[in-house]
Amino acid sequence: MRQLCMPRGLANETLPRLESVICIARPVTRGEALYRGGDPFRYLYAIRTGAIKTVMTQRDGREQVTGLRIAGEPLGLDGLGSNAHTCSAIALEDSSVCIVPYAPLLELCRDIDTMQARLLALAGEHIARVEAQMMVNDSMSADERVARFLLDLSERNAQRGYSATEFSLRMTREELGSHLGVTLETVSRTLSGFQRRRLIELRGKAVRLVCAEALRAV
Amino acid sequence: MRQLCMPRGLANETLPRLESVICIARPVTRGEALYRGGDPFRYLYAIRTGAIKTVMTQRDGREQVTGLRIAGEPLGLDGLGSNAHTCSAIALEDSSVCIVPYAPLLELCRDIDTMQARLLALAGEHIARVEAQMMVNDSMSADERVARFLLDLSERNAQRGYSATEFSLRMTREELGSHLGVTLETVSRTLSGFQRRRLIELRGKAVRLVCAEALRAV
DNA sequence: CGCCCGATTGATAACGCTCAAGGCAAGTGG
DNA sequence: CCACTTGCCTTGAGCGTTATCAATCGGGCG
């Protein structure tokens, strides 16, 4: 697990110092908020098990799912800029996260080059991910969006050592729709369509990619 | 200008070191690319004058404008994660930018706390901006998107000391549409509509916000 | 068992896209 | 100086995708 969190390519002797910074895991039960928009930004997180969605709320009350993070992925970068989180993080299943206090982490970064680089890289990866997501949602049809989501999730599962072909959507159709900028009905119809065309198999939130190639071709 | 770039709240004695890192300004002529997607990531930039758009291209050739940065704003953060830029930066007008080599900047960050904090804050602000943009584009109507864009640009102009009510859109209707996830015709119609309803005045790319309140209310 | 939340499916309508024609302003060349 | 070109913008008409509204279904849980 350790290598999935913050460090990667760290010299071994620095590990103890890192561990002195990382608090032990904290459990988050399904539906619970790890943090909420507006909360003071004090910690970064790494998901150990489970899945967590990030949600943004605007003045008028409309909510949107801005991201889905699964085991092995970092969380909380949205607070970097200010001293408050800009969105809420809510557990989709019972999960557990590593808590990394930000201030000590900064100290560590000052002493350890690779740590600093790693933190900035995480921020950069997140930027790239969000920008890619934005492009998908802006310029593609509902079918394409859903297909891309499936492929993205598949790839991330694979990266973390899980199955690339069989996994859980983790979110309800409504959350998925919110994330992709379409309605839940459209998500449902699209998934049904994919199943009819034998691109996927579907049972509730469980999917099996039957023909990833065809999905890639929209 | 200096205070608009990277440093803010820096001790005075650190300025010389910063200046030793920042290259002198480089001019970029209208239409020219400061960097392109895939280019190695070596520099960060701060826009001194002018305006620059960031553009992402996908496999199939479709392009999307992912951002608009004006004088005083940072640029190039999209390379942080990897060692290559994920999008292209193209000048919308003749502009000039400060060039900040990344490697020396990192050195500097290690020695100067506020510098490190500032860099991370810039990354965080960018994340927040992109996520907000994504939310706007996913969950709002064309009218709302255009209105939000106008208000956002107005606010950023004000922040940098320019007029909050009279400014230039900087982009063509097509680029604007790409940025907002609608077609150029829709942008045109929407702007015309706003003008008819006396919310704005419009002459080419020049706008004057007549009633920002009404714009906020969509 | 019955309730309830989530998912599916259908009918209808609206919003925004596509295609198409024209206008305006700036630049170019005769 | 005027005709012509070119790029950008505006406006219109028709159509398609997706939202909306609504009914039904199914599975999990008290």
Side-chain angles (χ1 to χ4, degrees), chain A residues 141-142 181-183 185-186 189:
Chain A
S141 70
V182 296
T183 58
E185 292 95 331
T186 298
R189 274 186 254 270

Side-chain angles (χ1 to χ4, degrees), chain B residues 51 68 70 92-93 146 149-150 153 167-173 175-176 187 191 200 202 204-207:
Chain B
L68 163 67
I70 61 176
L92 292 165
E93 348 173 325
V146 175
F149 173 82
L150 292 174
L153 195 51
F167 50 88
S168 163
L169 296 177
R170 251 95 184 202
M171 297 191 279
T172 67
R173 304 292 192 264
E175 289 164 330
L176 235 155
V187 171
L191 287 174
I200 63 173
L202 190 60
K205 292 190 179 54
V207 273

Side-chain angles (χ1 to χ4, degrees), chain A residues 42-55:
Chain A
R42 295 214 196 86
Y43 312 103
L44 289 177
Y45 309 88
I47 304 180
R48 288 161 54 96
T49 62
I52 291 181
K53 69 172 175 179
T54 53
V55 178

Side-chain angles (χ1 to χ4, degrees), chain A residues 119-167:
Chain A
L119 178 56
L120 284 162
L122 282 177
E125 281 167 25
H126 191 244
I127 289 173
R129 176 179 307 286
V130 177
E131 290 197 335
Q133 171 78 41
M134 183 167 72
M135 178 152 88
V136 166
N137 284 6
D138 275 9
S139 64
M140 312 213 308
S141 70
D143 280 11
E144 291 175 299
R145 296 184 205 193
V146 175
R148 288 313 204 85
F149 174 81
L150 292 174
L151 292 167
D152 176 54
L153 196 51
S154 158
E155 195 179 309
R156 282 157 64 195
N157 270 294
Q159 263 174 29
R160 311 293 173 181
Y162 303 105
S163 167
T165 56
E166 244 163 311
F167 50 88

